[in-house]
Amino acid sequence: MTDLVADRTEIDNLNSSALAALSGKSIEVSKAAITMKSQLSTLFGAWELLSVDDFIPLKAEVSKNVAIIGSSAEKTAVILISSSRYPNQNYFAATAACRKHNYTYQLSLTTPAIIESLAEVDRGDSELSDDENVKLLNGLITEAQNIGAADIFIDIDEGDNFKASFEIDTDKVDFQDYTRAQVTGMMRYFYQQVADQETLQDPIFDMESSQFATGDGIWNGKKLRLRYQCKKAYPEGTDFAIRLLNMEADEGFNSIDDLMVSRDQQALIRKVITGEKGAIILIGQTASGKTTTIKVLLTEMLNRKNGLIIRSIESPPEYIIPGVRQYVVRESRDDDESSFDEASKEVLRMNPHLIFMGETRSKATAGFLRKVIDSGHGALTTLHATGTYGAFSRLESEGYRRDVLAQDGNINALIYQQRLPKTCTHCGISHNDFVEKYSETNGDESKTIRRLKLLNSDLSDVVHVNRTGCTHCYSRGISGTIITMELVTPDSKCLESARKEDERGFNQAWVDVCKTNNFGDAVETHTYHALRLMLEGVVSPERYEEKYGEINLVGLEQRCRAWRVGDDFHAIANQE
């Protein structure tokens, strides 16, 4: 091992009190240089470097940012990690390794210099071999899969280095750094060796160009589909994003029940999917779970009606959906309509009952959507917009005239959704305990308590996030995600208001429809349903306010359709 040279300040960052508490003995740190392998025992009794050899081995890329010291005899350990890199995937990998080897462990923050000195790391920038590229890429994907990441981001960092991070339960968590040679090698290998050649925008990988592709592979014995996007950054460099899609048929969301929306919303969705004409438009931000919901809707449609013919045109397919005939269409960078025009003619000749056309994001795709609807077929598509009503403006901006779109029969349903992190059930803090601890303080916690009282509701089921988390949630306080949805099946009055660009009239017309048909809480917005999830203890108040802003009754009333100030929110939320 290399020598660790550190002054008293750096060594103090080892958190002597934490080490002492775990080892049961006091620790005296000298100012002299140390060779960790030989002098850990001098500093910490029987302690030694564990994250090597056969004790608690870590992968080389993890050991760049984490080290584990402790006693192999006593099965106790401290995970050393730089405060600037915590929490991140390296820490999660270290905790998993400790658990696997049955070590009791705790965290101690230190400096990058100490971590770097504890491991022999080759940081060469030479061109990597294919074997090295495969190993790096497989390691990156496997780590992301192990921790449940939905996305991998690789962004240009200082100098010629790149920083990789994961999106886990809507949070962005740092993973590790890579050199330009490593990133170039991994991304070139994926683009030219793993990706489905039919999905490529260009035949050859180009580090300095924006490119898109998808490819399938087996990691940890499970099939994943990777959706790859690189984008040239300004003023220099290139950033990468990789979406991980689980292709296992027996995992993930496969039924409407799995979506965990309210019972009234589930009932309305089941009613909506029985129709074969008009469009179902699923709306949401990036990473809001739209693709997963589409998979559920298509699966439910096929299960409910024998002989239903569904064909899809996607750029490219993200999920393999049994029973759906899926086709790839290359979308041009210059919005050339010819590819979609030809695809629409070919698919319509195949006599489908319904066509799923992926995302509507351009004049070409909007034009295709109109052709499908005008032909009398059912359509299903996704869209980026601000809400159900916002779909009209968004499609109008892509050339689909509002007065044509809002004609009776053209829209079957508008569905908008957000994705929220769920509070860890193992370490979440009950509202009663939270009040007892913070109600008499002057911090942010007491302000949160006062805002919750404004809801005039039973708060006994509310659970607050534990900022330090636990081993079950990898010290994040959250575990998994859930969607909050709003749903509109517009009648003629809703559509008339949309044509007149009257949002208030649109919302009121939908309230009237729901009252007439007893649609219950399906009348409400995604904001209302997010609050419902908070009152049920699924989403914490802290995470709700991060997404929707601080609870304010006037603003909340404006963002709900039926709820008004003074109503018992909890009672309304639990209506059947």
Side-chain angles (χ1 to χ4, degrees):
M1 297 298 296
T2 56
D3 287 349
L4 166 61
V5 181
D7 61 22
R8 181 61 180 251
T9 301
E10 289 178 311
I11 296 299
D12 284 346
N13 281 330
L14 289 175
N15 196 344
S16 296
S17 60
L19 299 178
L22 191 61
S23 65
K25 52 179 71 98
S26 62
I27 301 169
E28 294 184 2
V29 181
S30 71
K31 196 175 180 181
I34 333 162
T35 301
M36 291 300 297
K37 193 69 176 177
S38 62
Q39 295 196 15
L40 267 175
S41 57
T42 303
L43 291 174
F44 310 123
W47 287 30
E48 55 195 325
L49 183 65
L50 298 175
S51 50
V52 294
D53 303 326
D54 298 322
F55 295 119
I56 312 177
L58 298 178
K59 295 181 179 180
E61 54 265 34
V62 175
S63 63
K64 295 177 184 178
N65 301 304
V66 176
I68 304 174
I69 61 174
S71 168
S72 58
E74 298 175 4
K75 290 283 186 176
T76 58
V78 166
I79 298 171
L80 304 176
I81 183 169
S82 168
S83 56
S84 64
R85 304 302 301 276
Y86 171 80
N88 71 358
Q89 173 60 19
N90 302 285
Y91 172 66
F92 303 150
T95 59
C98 286
R99 289 196 300 271
K100 179 179 179 181
H101 291 80
N102 298 316
Y103 275 71
T104 302
Y105 65 90
Q106 73 177 60
L107 168 70
S108 185
L109 301 180
T110 184
T111 63
I114 290 178
I115 302 299
E116 291 173 5
S117 298
L118 284 171
E120 295 175 359
V121 179
D122 181 7
R123 300 184 183 275
D125 284 336
S126 59
E127 189 73 16
L128 304 179
S129 69
D130 276 350
D131 286 344
E132 291 173 309
N133 293 331
V134 172
K135 184 177 179 180
L136 282 172
L137 179 63
N138 287 342
L140 174 66
I141 303 303
T142 299
E143 293 296 344
Q145 184 187 31
N146 287 341
I147 200 62
D151 294 279
I152 300 170
F153 300 101
I154 304 176
D155 300 322
I156 191 73
D157 198 20
E158 296 180 1
D160 226 18
N161 294 322
F162 288 77
K163 184 180 294 294
S165 60
F166 297 153
E167 192 264 27
I168 308 171
D169 300 337
T170 75
D171 281 353
K172 191 174 181 181
V173 178
D174 287 343
F175 173 48
Q176 74 171 68
D177 295 337
Y178 291 101
T179 64
R180 171 174 287 275
Q182 290 173 327
V183 171
T184 302
M186 283 192 294
M187 299 301 101
R188 178 188 293 116
Y189 179 81
F190 172 81
Y191 194 86
Q192 297 185 180
Q193 302 296 327
V194 178
D196 181 347
Q197 297 302 295
E198 288 189 358
T199 70
L200 302 183
Q201 284 186 318
D202 302 298
I204 303 298
F205 171 78
D206 182 359
M207 187 77 167
E208 303 302 318
S209 177
S210 298
Q211 295 182 316
F212 179 86
T214 63
D216 298 348
I218 306 294
W219 287 272
N220 285 339
K222 294 184 178 181
K223 187 174 183 179
L224 294 180
R225 173 161 293 178
L226 307 183
R227 191 183 70 189
Y228 163 97
Q229 177 74 62
C230 71
K231 183 71 174 174
K232 185 83 170 117
Y234 180 83
E236 60 183 0
T238 305
D239 296 334
F240 301 85
I242 301 174
R243 169 70 55 84
L244 280 65
L245 299 165
N246 191 337
M247 306 300 287
E248 298 289 323
D250 58 343
E251 293 195 14
F253 290 10
N254 294 294
S255 73
I256 291 173
D257 291 338
D258 293 336
L259 296 177
M260 298 180 67
V261 296
S262 76
R263 291 184 181 180
D264 291 331
Q265 289 180 318
Q266 288 184 29
L268 188 53
I269 292 172
R270 289 187 171 96
K271 181 179 179 180
V272 163
I273 63 175
T274 60
E276 293 182 10
K277 296 185 182 299
I280 298 174
I281 303 176
L282 187 61
I283 309 152
Q285 301 170 346
T286 301
S288 60
K290 298 186 299 297
T291 304
T292 299
T293 301
I294 287 289
K295 174 191 173 188
V296 167
L297 297 182
L298 292 174
T299 301
E300 288 272 356
M301 289 175 180
L302 290 166
N303 291 339
R304 285 173 173 271
K305 187 171 182 178
N306 293 329
L308 185 66
I309 302 173
I310 301 178
R311 302 188 187 277
S312 77
I313 299 178
E314 302 169 71
S315 176
E318 294 192 3
Y319 282 116
I320 296 175
I321 305 173
V324 176
R325 300 301 298 164
Q326 296 173 269
Y327 309 100
V328 177
V329 59
R330 288 190 180 91
E331 191 174 359
S332 65
R333 289 193 178 96
D334 57 2
D335 202 25
D336 181 7
E337 296 187 26
S338 60
S339 59
F340 276 94
D341 190 49
E342 187 63 28
S344 65
K345 292 177 183 178
E346 294 169 350
V347 172
L348 289 173
R349 292 185 190 121
M350 296 178 177
N351 194 32
H353 294 111
L354 182 141
I355 296 174
F356 168 53
M357 49 169 295
E359 182 184 340
T360 300
R361 56 175 171 242
S362 64
K363 286 181 170 55
T365 49
F368 179 34
L369 174 62
R370 179 174 177 176
K371 289 179 181 179
V372 172
I373 295 173
D374 288 349
S375 68
H377 294 80
L380 188 59
T381 188
T382 65
L383 184 71
H384 288 180
T386 56
T388 50
Y389 180 78
F392 294 96
S393 297
R394 179 70 179 86
L395 287 170
E396 188 174 36
S397 71
E398 297 298 349
Y400 200 145
R401 284 171 42 193
R402 179 185 291 259
D403 61 328
V404 176
L405 176 65
Q407 290 178 358
D408 286 350
N410 280 355
I411 296 179
N412 188 359
L414 299 166
I415 303 172
Y416 179 86
Q417 66 181 51
Q418 296 260 26
R419 191 163 64 102
L420 299 174
K422 295 164 62 177
T423 308
C424 177
T425 57
H426 296 277
C427 66
I429 304 169
S430 72
H431 186 65
N432 289 339
D433 290 344
F434 193 84
V435 170
E436 182 177 349
K437 184 173 182 180
Y438 295 111
S439 61
E440 301 301 324
T441 67
N442 293 318
D444 291 339
E445 294 84 359
S446 63
K447 295 177 183 177
T448 299
I449 293 169
R450 290 195 293 272
R451 288 194 296 271
L452 289 172
K453 289 180 179 179
L454 297 174
L455 293 175
N456 186 33
S457 183
D458 180 4
L459 303 175
S460 59
D461 290 334
V462 172
V463 179
H464 295 260
V465 69
N466 185 332
R467 297 292 187 183
T468 59
C470 65
T471 56
H472 295 280
C473 61
Y474 298 100
S475 304
R476 294 182 297 120
I478 58 174
S479 181
T481 60
I482 190 169
I483 63 170
T484 174
M485 179 183 288
E486 71 177 70
L487 175 63
V488 175
T489 58
D491 69 350
S492 58
K493 290 185 178 179
C494 288
L495 295 171
E496 181 182 359
S497 295
R499 290 194 296 270
K500 294 178 178 178
E501 301 186 36
D502 178 8
E503 183 173 3
R504 180 173 294 183
F506 176 87
N507 287 326
Q508 184 57 53
W510 176 238
V511 171
D512 294 340
V513 169
C514 291
K515 287 181 178 179
T516 301
N517 294 279
N518 296 316
F519 286 164
D521 69 16
V523 67
E524 276 298 357
T525 63
H526 63 95
T527 304
Y528 171 94
H529 287 288
L531 274 169
R532 174 180 60 79
L533 293 171
M534 184 193 74
L535 292 170
E536 293 172 356
V538 179
V539 175
S540 72
E542 293 77 17
R543 288 310 183 108
Y544 169 85
E545 291 194 328
E546 284 180 14
K547 191 74 171 182
Y548 291 96
E550 293 183 354
I551 294 171
N552 174 287
L553 291 188
V554 175
L556 183 57
E557 184 175 286
Q558 292 173 348
R559 296 171 71 178
C560 294
R561 291 198 178 101
W563 181 85
R564 292 294 178 264
V565 174
D567 290 344
D568 184 336
F569 199 98
H570 194 76
I572 296 173
N574 286 307
Q575 286 181 354
E576 295 292 332

